[in-house]
Amino acid sequence: MKKAGKIILLVLLVLIVVGGVIIATTPTKKLLSFLAPEIDNIRVTDTRIGEETATMQVLMDVKPSLVSTFVDSVAYQFKLYNTTVAQGQKSFERDAQQQQQTIKFPMTMNHNTTRELVRRQVKEGEKVQAHFEAYADVPFFGRQKFDIDEDLDILIPALPGATVSNLKISDFGLDEMEMVMTMNLDNPNAFDFYIKDMKMTLNFPGKMSSVGGTVKDYLVKARSVTPIHIPAVADVKNPVKTTVKTLTGDQVWPYHMTTTMVLEPKSKVVGTIHLDAVKTGEVNVVQQVKNILETKKEEKKAEKQEKKEERQRRKEEKKVS
Protein backbone atom coordinates (compact mmCIF):
# COMPACT_ATOMS: atom_id res chain seq x y z
CA MET A 1 0.00 0.00 0.00
CA LYS A 2 2.81 2.36 0.90
CA LYS A 3 4.56 1.56 -2.38
CA ALA A 4 1.35 2.23 -4.35
CA GLY A 5 0.85 5.52 -2.53
CA LYS A 6 4.40 6.58 -3.37
CA ILE A 7 3.82 5.73 -7.04
CA ILE A 8 0.58 7.75 -7.16
CA LEU A 9 2.29 10.70 -5.45
CA LEU A 10 5.20 10.48 -7.88
CA VAL A 11 2.80 10.47 -10.88
CA LEU A 12 0.99 13.52 -9.50
CA LEU A 13 4.28 15.36 -9.01
CA VAL A 14 5.31 14.53 -12.59
CA LEU A 15 1.96 15.79 -13.92
CA ILE A 16 2.29 19.01 -11.92
CA VAL A 17 5.83 19.55 -13.20
CA VAL A 18 4.84 18.80 -16.80
CA GLY A 19 1.83 21.09 -16.45
CA GLY A 20 4.02 23.83 -15.01
CA VAL A 21 6.50 23.48 -17.87
CA ILE A 22 3.70 23.65 -20.44
CA ILE A 23 2.23 26.74 -18.80
CA ALA A 24 5.64 28.37 -18.49
CA THR A 25 6.63 27.71 -22.11
CA THR A 26 3.25 28.44 -23.74
CA PRO A 27 2.62 32.09 -24.71
CA THR A 28 -0.04 33.62 -22.49
CA LYS A 29 -2.20 34.60 -25.46
CA LYS A 30 -2.22 31.05 -26.81
CA LEU A 31 -2.80 29.62 -23.35
CA LEU A 32 -5.80 31.86 -22.81
CA SER A 33 -7.28 30.79 -26.15
CA PHE A 34 -7.75 27.29 -24.70
CA LEU A 35 -9.69 28.81 -21.80
CA ALA A 36 -12.07 30.84 -23.97
CA PRO A 37 -15.81 30.38 -23.45
CA GLU A 38 -17.82 28.74 -26.23
CA ILE A 39 -20.56 30.63 -28.07
CA ASP A 40 -23.49 28.52 -29.28
CA ASN A 41 -27.13 28.59 -30.45
CA ILE A 42 -27.11 32.00 -32.13
CA ARG A 43 -30.51 33.25 -33.28
CA VAL A 44 -32.20 36.47 -34.34
CA THR A 45 -35.42 37.93 -32.90
CA ASP A 46 -37.46 41.16 -32.64
CA THR A 47 -36.52 42.32 -36.13
CA ARG A 48 -37.83 45.68 -37.32
CA ILE A 49 -37.40 46.44 -41.01
CA GLY A 50 -37.81 50.01 -42.22
CA GLU A 51 -37.08 51.88 -45.42
CA GLU A 52 -33.40 52.48 -44.60
CA THR A 53 -32.34 50.09 -41.86
CA ALA A 54 -33.12 46.76 -40.21
CA THR A 55 -32.65 46.37 -36.46
CA MET A 56 -32.79 43.08 -34.61
CA GLN A 57 -31.77 41.41 -31.37
CA VAL A 58 -29.14 38.66 -31.47
CA LEU A 59 -29.22 36.00 -28.74
CA MET A 60 -26.31 33.67 -27.96
CA ASP A 61 -25.76 30.99 -25.33
CA VAL A 62 -22.36 31.16 -23.63
CA LYS A 63 -20.80 27.95 -22.38
CA PRO A 64 -17.92 28.69 -19.98
CA SER A 65 -14.68 26.71 -20.14
CA LEU A 66 -13.22 24.98 -17.08
CA VAL A 67 -11.90 28.24 -15.68
CA SER A 68 -13.51 31.12 -17.59
CA THR A 69 -16.50 32.71 -15.92
CA PHE A 70 -19.26 35.22 -16.69
CA VAL A 71 -18.78 37.23 -19.90
CA ASP A 72 -19.30 40.84 -18.80
CA SER A 73 -18.97 42.53 -22.20
CA VAL A 74 -18.56 41.71 -25.87
CA ALA A 75 -17.54 43.61 -29.01
CA TYR A 76 -18.82 42.03 -32.20
CA GLN A 77 -18.44 42.28 -35.95
CA PHE A 78 -20.46 40.37 -38.53
CA LYS A 79 -19.39 40.01 -42.15
CA LEU A 80 -20.97 38.63 -45.31
CA TYR A 81 -18.70 37.96 -48.26
CA ASN A 82 -15.95 39.83 -46.36
CA THR A 83 -18.13 42.95 -46.11
CA THR A 84 -19.03 44.25 -42.66
CA VAL A 85 -22.81 44.23 -42.23
CA ALA A 86 -23.02 45.01 -38.50
CA GLN A 87 -20.77 45.81 -35.54
CA GLY A 88 -20.97 47.17 -32.02
CA GLN A 89 -20.44 46.35 -28.36
CA LYS A 90 -22.54 45.56 -25.29
CA SER A 91 -21.97 45.12 -21.54
CA PHE A 92 -23.87 42.66 -19.36
CA GLU A 93 -24.80 42.40 -15.70
CA ARG A 94 -24.56 39.13 -13.80
CA ASP A 95 -27.79 37.47 -12.71
CA ALA A 96 -27.23 35.43 -9.54
CA GLN A 97 -30.04 33.02 -10.48
CA GLN A 98 -28.86 32.53 -14.04
CA GLN A 99 -27.77 28.92 -14.57
CA GLN A 100 -26.58 29.40 -18.14
CA GLN A 101 -25.56 32.74 -19.58
CA THR A 102 -27.52 33.93 -22.60
CA ILE A 103 -26.36 37.27 -23.93
CA LYS A 104 -28.51 39.58 -26.02
CA PHE A 105 -27.36 42.55 -28.04
CA PRO A 106 -28.82 44.78 -30.79
CA MET A 107 -27.67 44.62 -34.41
CA THR A 108 -28.44 47.29 -36.99
CA MET A 109 -27.90 46.96 -40.73
CA ASN A 110 -28.28 49.49 -43.53
CA HIS A 111 -30.19 48.15 -46.53
CA ASN A 112 -27.98 50.06 -48.97
CA THR A 113 -25.05 47.92 -47.78
CA THR A 114 -26.68 44.62 -46.97
CA ARG A 115 -29.69 44.21 -49.30
CA GLU A 116 -27.92 42.40 -52.15
CA LEU A 117 -25.49 40.56 -49.82
CA VAL A 118 -28.33 39.10 -47.77
CA ARG A 119 -30.32 38.13 -50.86
CA ARG A 120 -27.20 36.44 -52.22
CA GLN A 121 -26.72 34.61 -48.92
CA VAL A 122 -30.28 33.27 -49.13
CA LYS A 123 -29.54 31.77 -52.57
CA GLU A 124 -26.05 30.43 -51.86
CA GLY A 125 -26.26 29.48 -48.18
CA GLU A 126 -23.16 31.50 -47.27
CA LYS A 127 -22.24 31.52 -43.59
CA VAL A 128 -21.83 34.73 -41.63
CA GLN A 129 -18.26 35.46 -40.53
CA ALA A 130 -18.33 36.61 -36.92
CA HIS A 131 -15.57 38.05 -34.73
CA PHE A 132 -16.16 38.49 -31.00
CA GLU A 133 -14.01 40.11 -28.35
CA ALA A 134 -15.41 38.68 -25.14
CA TYR A 135 -14.23 39.88 -21.72
CA ALA A 136 -14.36 37.62 -18.64
CA ASP A 137 -12.53 37.08 -15.34
CA VAL A 138 -10.10 34.15 -15.25
CA PRO A 139 -8.54 32.85 -11.99
CA PHE A 140 -4.84 33.80 -11.65
CA PHE A 141 -4.98 35.85 -14.87
CA GLY A 142 -7.60 38.47 -13.93
CA ARG A 143 -9.91 40.07 -16.48
CA GLN A 144 -9.03 38.84 -19.96
CA LYS A 145 -10.08 39.42 -23.55
CA PHE A 146 -10.93 36.39 -25.68
CA ASP A 147 -10.85 36.70 -29.47
CA ILE A 148 -13.39 34.32 -30.96
CA ASP A 149 -13.80 33.80 -34.71
CA GLU A 150 -16.62 31.64 -36.00
CA ASP A 151 -18.51 30.97 -39.22
CA LEU A 152 -22.16 31.01 -38.24
CA ASP A 153 -25.23 29.36 -39.74
CA ILE A 154 -27.26 32.44 -38.90
CA LEU A 155 -30.13 33.69 -41.04
CA ILE A 156 -30.17 37.45 -41.50
CA PRO A 157 -33.69 38.41 -42.62
CA ALA A 158 -33.73 39.98 -46.09
CA LEU A 159 -35.93 42.98 -46.79
CA PRO A 160 -39.22 41.81 -48.38
CA GLY A 161 -40.19 43.84 -51.42
CA ALA A 162 -43.62 45.48 -51.46
CA THR A 163 -45.17 46.94 -54.60
CA VAL A 164 -48.71 48.19 -55.19
CA SER A 165 -49.97 46.32 -58.25
CA ASN A 166 -53.54 47.60 -58.23
CA LEU A 167 -55.87 50.01 -56.50
CA LYS A 168 -59.45 49.18 -57.38
CA ILE A 169 -62.29 51.49 -56.41
CA SER A 170 -65.34 49.37 -55.62
CA ASP A 171 -67.75 52.22 -54.84
CA PHE A 172 -67.60 56.01 -55.14
CA GLY A 173 -69.99 58.46 -53.50
CA LEU A 174 -70.03 62.14 -52.62
CA ASP A 175 -68.65 61.66 -49.13
CA GLU A 176 -66.75 58.36 -49.22
CA MET A 177 -64.97 55.91 -51.46
CA GLU A 178 -64.57 52.15 -51.02
CA MET A 179 -61.47 50.53 -52.48
CA VAL A 180 -59.29 47.43 -52.42
CA MET A 181 -55.52 47.86 -52.53
CA THR A 182 -53.54 44.92 -53.92
CA MET A 183 -49.95 44.76 -52.71
CA ASN A 184 -47.49 42.17 -54.01
CA LEU A 185 -45.18 41.03 -51.22
CA ASP A 186 -41.89 39.56 -52.44
CA ASN A 187 -40.28 37.23 -49.90
CA PRO A 188 -36.62 36.60 -50.85
CA ASN A 189 -35.91 34.68 -47.62
CA ALA A 190 -35.33 30.95 -47.24
CA PHE A 191 -38.25 30.67 -44.80
CA ASP A 192 -42.02 31.11 -45.05
CA PHE A 193 -43.76 33.68 -42.88
CA TYR A 194 -47.29 34.63 -41.88
CA ILE A 195 -48.62 38.17 -42.05
CA LYS A 196 -50.44 38.30 -38.72
CA ASP A 197 -51.35 41.97 -38.66
CA MET A 198 -51.23 44.63 -41.35
CA LYS A 199 -52.45 48.21 -41.17
CA MET A 200 -52.51 50.78 -43.95
CA THR A 201 -52.93 54.54 -44.06
CA LEU A 202 -53.72 55.81 -47.55
CA ASN A 203 -53.73 59.51 -48.31
CA PHE A 204 -54.80 61.30 -51.48
CA PRO A 205 -53.43 64.78 -50.64
CA GLY A 206 -56.14 67.40 -50.52
CA LYS A 207 -58.86 64.94 -51.49
CA MET A 208 -59.30 62.06 -49.06
CA SER A 209 -57.60 59.77 -46.57
CA SER A 210 -58.36 56.31 -45.29
CA VAL A 211 -57.25 53.63 -42.86
CA GLY A 212 -57.50 49.94 -43.72
CA GLY A 213 -55.97 46.59 -43.00
CA THR A 214 -55.98 42.88 -43.68
CA VAL A 215 -58.93 40.84 -42.46
CA LYS A 216 -57.14 37.48 -42.48
CA ASP A 217 -53.67 35.99 -42.05
CA TYR A 218 -51.61 35.47 -45.21
CA LEU A 219 -48.96 32.81 -45.67
CA VAL A 220 -46.08 34.10 -47.79
CA LYS A 221 -43.94 31.28 -49.14
CA ALA A 222 -40.14 31.45 -49.26
CA ARG A 223 -38.71 32.93 -52.44
CA SER A 224 -42.13 33.82 -53.81
CA VAL A 225 -44.43 36.76 -54.53
CA THR A 226 -47.84 36.77 -52.83
CA PRO A 227 -50.67 39.27 -53.52
CA ILE A 228 -52.18 40.84 -50.40
CA HIS A 229 -55.66 42.42 -50.66
CA ILE A 230 -56.36 45.33 -48.31
CA PRO A 231 -59.90 46.75 -48.17
CA ALA A 232 -60.37 50.36 -47.07
CA VAL A 233 -62.98 53.10 -46.87
CA ALA A 234 -61.89 56.70 -47.50
CA ASP A 235 -63.60 59.89 -46.35
CA VAL A 236 -63.76 62.50 -49.11
CA LYS A 237 -62.61 66.02 -48.21
CA ASN A 238 -64.76 68.85 -49.62
CA PRO A 239 -67.01 66.35 -51.47
CA VAL A 240 -68.67 68.77 -53.91
CA LYS A 241 -65.44 70.56 -54.82
CA THR A 242 -63.56 67.29 -55.22
CA THR A 243 -66.28 65.77 -57.40
CA VAL A 244 -66.49 68.83 -59.66
CA LYS A 245 -62.69 68.98 -60.09
CA THR A 246 -62.58 65.29 -60.87
CA LEU A 247 -65.29 65.48 -63.48
CA THR A 248 -63.72 68.54 -65.13
CA GLY A 249 -60.28 67.09 -65.61
CA ASP A 250 -58.57 66.22 -62.30
CA GLN A 251 -58.70 62.53 -63.13
CA VAL A 252 -55.36 61.18 -61.91
CA TRP A 253 -54.90 61.27 -58.14
CA PRO A 254 -51.44 60.75 -56.59
CA TYR A 255 -51.40 58.80 -53.33
CA HIS A 256 -49.05 58.30 -50.38
CA MET A 257 -49.39 55.03 -48.49
CA THR A 258 -47.75 53.85 -45.26
CA THR A 259 -48.08 50.27 -44.07
CA THR A 260 -47.06 48.44 -40.92
CA MET A 261 -47.19 44.68 -40.61
CA VAL A 262 -46.15 41.94 -38.22
CA LEU A 263 -44.51 38.90 -39.80
CA GLU A 264 -44.13 35.57 -37.99
CA PRO A 265 -41.44 33.47 -39.71
CA LYS A 266 -41.71 29.68 -39.76
CA SER A 267 -38.15 29.43 -38.49
CA LYS A 268 -36.49 28.46 -35.21
CA VAL A 269 -33.66 30.96 -35.62
CA VAL A 270 -35.64 34.02 -36.76
CA GLY A 271 -38.26 35.57 -34.51
CA THR A 272 -41.02 38.13 -35.09
CA ILE A 273 -40.39 40.73 -37.79
CA HIS A 274 -41.98 44.19 -37.85
CA LEU A 275 -42.03 45.71 -41.33
CA ASP A 276 -42.74 49.37 -42.14
CA ALA A 277 -43.08 50.53 -45.74
CA VAL A 278 -43.90 53.76 -47.58
CA LYS A 279 -45.25 53.68 -51.14
CA THR A 280 -46.36 56.38 -53.57
CA GLY A 281 -48.22 56.17 -56.87
CA GLU A 282 -51.29 57.41 -58.69
CA VAL A 283 -54.70 56.14 -59.76
CA ASN A 284 -57.06 57.32 -62.53
CA VAL A 285 -60.22 57.88 -60.50
CA VAL A 286 -62.47 58.67 -63.49
CA GLN A 287 -61.46 55.49 -65.26
CA GLN A 288 -62.03 53.52 -62.05
CA VAL A 289 -65.53 55.03 -61.68
CA LYS A 290 -66.26 54.10 -65.31
CA ASN A 291 -65.15 50.58 -64.51
CA ILE A 292 -67.51 50.53 -61.52
CA LEU A 293 -70.44 51.66 -63.68
CA GLU A 294 -69.60 49.13 -66.38
CA THR A 295 -69.33 46.37 -63.77
CA LYS A 296 -72.68 47.29 -62.23
CA LYS A 297 -74.22 47.47 -65.70
CA GLU A 298 -72.94 44.00 -66.53
CA GLU A 299 -74.15 42.67 -63.18
CA LYS A 300 -77.67 44.07 -63.79
CA LYS A 301 -77.67 42.66 -67.30
CA ALA A 302 -76.63 39.25 -66.01
CA GLU A 303 -79.27 39.45 -63.27
CA LYS A 304 -82.01 40.27 -65.80
CA GLN A 305 -80.89 37.41 -68.02
CA GLU A 306 -80.92 35.04 -65.07
CA LYS A 307 -84.46 36.10 -64.12
CA LYS A 308 -85.58 35.73 -67.73
CA GLU A 309 -84.16 32.22 -67.91
CA GLU A 310 -85.80 31.36 -64.59
CA ARG A 311 -89.23 32.51 -65.86
CA GLN A 312 -88.77 30.54 -69.06
CA ARG A 313 -87.83 27.43 -67.07
CA ARG A 314 -90.98 27.73 -64.92
CA LYS A 315 -93.19 28.10 -68.02
CA GLU A 316 -91.71 24.95 -69.52
CA GLU A 317 -92.23 23.07 -66.24
CA LYS A 318 -95.95 24.10 -66.22
CA LYS A 319 -96.40 22.88 -69.77
CA VAL A 320 -94.91 19.52 -68.89
CA SER A 321 -97.15 19.14 -65.84
Side-chain angles (χ1 to χ4, degrees):
M1 292 294 293
K2 292 183 178 180
K3 186 176 181 181
K6 290 180 179 180
I7 293 174
I8 294 173
L9 181 60
L10 181 62
V11 170
L12 289 175
L13 288 173
V14 170
L15 290 176
I16 292 172
V17 171
V18 172
V21 171
I22 292 174
I23 293 173
T25 57
T26 303
T28 302
K29 186 175 182 181
K30 186 175 182 179
L31 183 63
L32 287 172
S33 66
F34 295 117
L35 308 178
E38 180 185 351
I39 291 176
D40 189 29
N41 191 23
I42 300 180
R43 61 267 191 206
V44 173
T45 186
D46 298 331
T47 303
R48 181 170 292 279
I49 297 178
E51 291 293 306
E52 295 292 332
T53 60
T55 60
M56 60 202 74
Q57 297 291 328
V58 179
L59 282 79
M60 304 188 305
D61 294 335
V62 179
K63 297 180 179 179
S65 66
L66 293 175
V67 294
S68 64
T69 57
F70 180 81
V71 174
D72 57 59
S73 68
V74 64
Y76 55 89
Q77 182 183 43
F78 292 98
K79 289 185 176 182
L80 262 179
Y81 300 99
N82 294 318
T83 300
T84 299
V85 295
Q87 59 185 348
Q89 58 183 12
K90 182 72 182 294
S91 298
F92 311 100
E93 294 184 2
R94 184 189 295 271
D95 185 349
Q97 297 181 347
Q98 191 176 34
Q99 298 298 319
Q100 176 178 300
Q101 185 181 7
T102 297
I103 62 178
K104 180 179 180 180
F105 57 85
M107 184 167 74
T108 300
M109 301 184 304
N110 186 287
H111 294 317
N112 295 328
T113 302
T114 64
R115 182 182 288 109
E116 296 306 319
L117 295 176
V118 172
R119 286 175 178 258
R120 181 180 168 189
Q121 182 206 21
V122 171
K123 293 180 181 179
E124 301 176 3
E126 177 75 4
K127 293 186 177 182
V128 176
Q129 303 98 48
H131 175 72
F132 301 100
E133 294 179 359
Y135 292 84
D137 289 326
V138 179
F140 307 112
F141 291 96
R143 190 167 184 269
Q144 297 293 326
K145 181 185 77 171
F146 297 97
D147 289 300
I148 304 171
D149 292 292
E150 292 191 23
D151 290 333
L152 306 175
D153 287 315
I154 181 175
L155 291 176
I156 299 177
L159 173 66
T163 58
V164 177
S165 61
N166 189 27
L167 194 159
K168 182 179 180 181
I169 299 174
S170 55
D171 197 8
F172 188 89
L174 286 177
D175 57 352
E176 71 175 22
M177 180 172 71
E178 296 180 7
M179 69 192 79
V180 177
M181 174 80 75
T182 300
M183 176 183 291
N184 289 334
L185 203 60
D186 174 17
N187 177 17
N189 294 286
F191 52 82
D192 304 345
F193 61 73
Y194 285 99
I195 299 179
K196 305 297 291 186
D197 186 26
M198 182 175 184
K199 294 181 175 61
M200 173 194 73
T201 300
L202 182 65
N203 183 40
F204 294 93
K207 296 180 176 65
M208 65 177 65
S209 61
S210 68
V211 176
T214 53
V215 293
K216 66 175 184 177
D217 295 343
Y218 284 87
L219 174 62
V220 180
K221 291 286 189 177
R223 303 186 184 95
S224 68
V225 178
T226 301
I228 310 298
H229 304 294
I230 313 167
V233 177
D235 294 326
V236 180
K237 301 175 182 178
N238 302 316
V240 177
K241 182 179 178 181
T242 299
T243 302
V244 171
K245 288 185 66 177
T246 301
L247 294 177
T248 56
D250 189 11
Q251 300 182 4
V252 178
W253 292 9
Y255 63 80
H256 181 274
M257 182 184 71
T258 59
T259 57
T260 61
M261 62 187 83
V262 177
L263 314 179
E264 287 192 3
K266 296 175 66 176
S267 170
K268 294 181 179 180
V269 294
V270 180
T272 303
I273 299 174
H274 298 266
L275 176 63
D276 301 322
V278 177
K279 298 294 175 183
T280 58
E282 58 185 27
V283 58
N284 189 316
V285 176
V286 172
Q287 184 59 50
Q288 289 277 5
V289 172
K290 288 181 180 179
N291 293 340
I292 294 172
L293 296 176
E294 287 294 328
T295 300
K296 289 183 177 181
K297 184 178 179 181
E298 291 296 326
E299 289 175 351
K300 288 182 179 180
K301 185 177 178 180
E303 186 178 350
K304 287 181 180 179
Q305 181 63 29
E306 186 178 342
K307 289 181 178 179
K308 182 179 178 181
E309 292 175 355
E310 179 65 20
R311 287 195 299 267
Q312 185 64 31
R313 185 181 63 80
R314 288 178 179 176
K315 286 181 181 180
E316 291 177 356
E317 288 178 350
K318 287 181 179 180
K319 288 181 181 180
V320 173
S321 61

